Amino acid sequence: MIKNKTMEQQSKRIPALDLIKGMSVIGMIIIHTLLTFADIKSQSESAIGLFIVFLGRGTSIFLICMGITFMTSRHQSLKSSITRGGMLLAAALFMNFLKFIFPVIFGFAPDNFIQRYGWHGPIEQQYLYLMLLGDILQLAGMSLLFIGFIRKYVTNKYGILGIGLLAALVSREVSGINIDIPVVNYVLDLLFNNDFPAYVYFPVFPWVSFIIIGMFFGKWYQELNYNRPQLFKNMLYIGIPFAVLGAPLVFIYGDYNYNGFYHMGPGGVLYFAGWTLIFLFIIYKISVNVKENKFIKLLKYCSKNLTTMYMTQWILISWGKGIFGFRANPITTVLALIVMYIILTFSVQILIDLIRKKREKSKVVEVLS
C-alpha cells in the first residue's frame, strides 16, 4: 500500500518543475555573487554582467512553480500551510542574523556595505533593521499564511485565478500602507512595502499573485487528471495573451504598472507571468526529450534542497564581503567567485545531508534497542 501511494505521488510530480527549481538554485548563486561582489561597471556595462542581471528577473518562474507544487503537495491541510509559513519566517530571521549581524559582531562587515544605507552612527544601532530585511523567504512564509485558506476554501480554478489577478490589480493602490505601530508596521511592510532602496525586496503585494496564478494551474492539473502535456499547452495558451496584454501596460503606462522590478503593478504582473508561462512550456518541451543524466540528477538534488541551499549560499556570500569586498571586483574575479561559491554551497549541503542521515540512523538504532 505504501508503494502504491509512492507511485501515485510520483505520477503527480512534474519533472520539468524540478529541473526549473534546480536551475534556479544554481542561477541564484550566480546572480547573488555578481550583485554582491561585482563593481557597478561590471554589472551595468559588461555583456556577462548584463546577462546575469537579466537572469535575476526570473523570480516569477520560481513563484509560479511554487504555486503549482503547493496544489499537488501531499500536505494539503491548512495547518500544514500555516506551520510551514511560520517556519519559513523563522528561518528568514535566522538567515538574516547569520548574513548581517554575525559579520558585524566578528568585525568583517565591509565599510562600503554599511555606507550604502547612509548610516553614520555605530552599526550596532541598525541590528534590528538588518534582522528584519525582507527577501524571498519572508515572501514565501507570509504567502503560505494566506494561500492555505485559498486552497481550502476556493474550489473553482477560475476563482483562484481571479484572486491572483485581483491581488495584482490592487497592488499599486495598497502599496506603501503604513501606520505608526512598530510590530504592525513590519507586517504591513512585508505586505505592502514600496521603499527604495528596498527594505522588503518582495512584498506580498504584488508577488503573491504569481504564486496564486501557479495555484490556478496546479488546480487545473488536478482536473486534467495529471495530464502534463495538456497542462503545459494550457500554460502557453494563457501565457501568450497575458504577455500581449501586459506589454503595452508596462511600456506605455509604466509609471503605474511597472514601478521598478520589485514593486511592479498589475501590468508588470501580467507581462512577467505571461513570459514565465511561455518559458515553462518551452522548458517542458525540451525536458521531455532529455534522458536522465548526472546533470539532471544534480538539478533534482538542488530542487529537493532548495530552501537550505538558498540560505547557505546567501550566508556564505554575505560572509565573503569581508574578504573580497562589496561591489569592488572586475567581472573576471567575479566569474572565479561564482565557481567557488557553487562548490562551497554544494559542499555545505552535502555536509548537512551527512549530519541529517547520521541523526536519522541514530534514531533508528535507539528505537530498535
Side-chain angles (χ1 to χ4, degrees), residues 34 42-43 45-54 331 335 338:
L34 177 95
S42 296
Q43 292 187 35
E45 296 182 19
S46 70
I48 296 174
L50 287 169
F51 177 70
I52 294 175
V53 170
F54 170 75
I331 195 66
L335 291 175
I338 286 171

Side-chain angles (χ1 to χ4, degrees), residues 25 28-29 62 84 87-88 91 94-95 98 137 301-316 344-353 356:
V25 171
M28 68 191 178
I29 299 172
F62 165 74
R84 180 154 174 76
M87 290 174 63
L88 283 177
F94 179 66
M95 184 183 73
L98 291 179
L137 279 186
Y301 176 80
C302 293
S303 175
K304 181 182 176 183
N305 297 289
L306 190 149
T307 302
T308 53
M309 293 186 77
Y310 174 83
M311 294 175 66
T312 297
Q313 56 90 33
W314 249 142
I315 292 165
L316 292 173
L344 281 175
T345 301
F346 275 93
S347 300
V348 172
Q349 183 59 49
I350 291 169
L351 180 61
I352 291 171
D353 287 344
R356 186 183 297 149

Side-chain angles (χ1 to χ4, degrees), residues 239-356:
I240 291 172
F242 270 24
V244 170
L245 288 171
L249 295 175
V250 168
F251 293 106
I252 300 175
Y253 305 102
D255 289 345
Y256 186 85
N257 287 282
Y258 191 73
N259 186 36
F261 174 71
Y262 294 106
H263 307 102
M264 65 180 73
V269 171
L270 273 180
Y271 183 69
F272 276 90
W275 280 111
T276 296
L277 294 170
I278 295 168
F279 173 78
L280 289 174
F281 171 79
I282 293 170
I283 292 297
Y284 170 74
K285 296 300 286 186
I286 294 171
S287 69
V288 294
N289 297 311
V290 176
K291 294 181 179 180
E292 183 90 354
N293 55 49
K294 290 183 179 179
F295 182 65
I296 298 297
K297 289 180 180 178
L298 180 71
L299 293 180
K300 289 181 178 179
Y301 176 80
C302 293
S303 175
K304 181 182 176 183
N305 297 289
L306 190 149
T307 302
T308 53
M309 293 186 77
Y310 174 83
M311 294 175 66
T312 297
Q313 56 90 33
W314 249 142
I315 292 165
L316 292 173
I317 289 170
S318 294
W319 290 357
K321 290 197 292 276
I323 302 171
F324 305 108
F326 178 62
R327 295 185 177 175
N329 297 280
I331 195 66
T332 50
T333 302
V334 172
L335 291 175
L337 289 174
I338 286 171
V339 174
M340 184 191 78
Y341 276 109
I342 289 174
I343 294 171
L344 281 175
T345 301
F346 275 93
S347 300
V348 172
Q349 183 59 49
I350 291 169
L351 180 61
I352 291 171
D353 287 344
L354 290 173
I355 294 171
R356 186 183 297 149

Side-chain angles (χ1 to χ4, degrees), residues 23-226:
M23 287 188 286
S24 74
V25 171
I26 297 173
M28 68 191 178
I29 299 172
I30 295 171
I31 293 159
H32 294 157
T33 303
L34 177 95
L35 294 177
T36 301
F37 297 112
D39 56 43
I40 300 302
K41 183 178 180 181
S42 296
Q43 292 187 35
S44 59
E45 296 182 19
S46 70
I48 296 174
L50 287 169
F51 177 70
I52 294 175
V53 170
F54 170 75
L55 289 180
R57 297 296 183 256
T59 308
S60 57
I61 299 170
F62 165 74
L63 295 178
I64 287 179
C65 290
M66 174 184 168
I68 296 170
T69 54
F70 180 72
M71 294 299 287
T72 58
S73 168
R74 286 174 295 176
H75 308 289
Q76 290 285 315
S77 70
L78 178 59
K79 181 181 177 181
S80 70
S81 176
I82 294 173
T83 300
R84 180 154 174 76
M87 290 174 63
L88 283 177
L89 289 172
L93 291 174
F94 179 66
M95 184 183 73
N96 278 352
F97 172 80
L98 291 179
K99 278 176 66 177
F100 300 120
I101 312 302
F102 189 87
V104 173
I105 291 173
F106 288 93
F108 58 95
D111 291 338
N112 65 330
F113 171 73
I114 295 169
Q115 292 163 4
R116 178 193 178 203
Y117 291 93
W119 296 331
H120 301 290
I123 186 64
E124 288 78 11
Q125 295 178 3
Q126 309 299 336
Y127 277 177
L128 183 62
Y129 180 94
L130 291 168
M131 279 288 293
L132 298 180
L133 277 174
D135 206 340
I136 200 80
L137 279 186
Q138 285 86 344
L139 167 64
M142 288 294 292
S143 296
L144 282 168
L145 301 180
F146 295 106
I147 62 177
F149 289 93
I150 297 174
R151 182 173 64 185
K152 183 175 178 65
Y153 294 110
V154 184
T155 57
N156 184 286
K157 66 178 179 291
Y158 294 110
I160 295 173
L161 179 61
I163 293 171
L165 295 178
L166 179 63
L169 185 64
V170 303
S171 59
R172 293 292 292 136
E173 299 302 319
V174 298
S175 182
I177 289 178
N178 201 284
I179 59 176
D180 196 21
I181 303 176
V183 176
V184 177
N185 237 9
Y186 179 60
V187 175
L188 292 176
D189 279 336
L190 291 175
L191 293 171
F192 311 120
N193 184 265
N194 65 354
D195 290 344
F196 189 85
Y199 173 50
V200 174
Y201 283 87
F202 298 100
V204 173
F205 289 84
W207 288 97
V208 73
S209 300
F210 295 106
I211 301 175
I212 301 174
I213 290 170
M215 290 173 65
F216 161 71
F217 283 101
K219 182 68 174 177
W220 206 348
Y221 184 45
Q222 292 173 328
E223 293 180 2
L224 291 168
N225 198 26
Y226 306 102

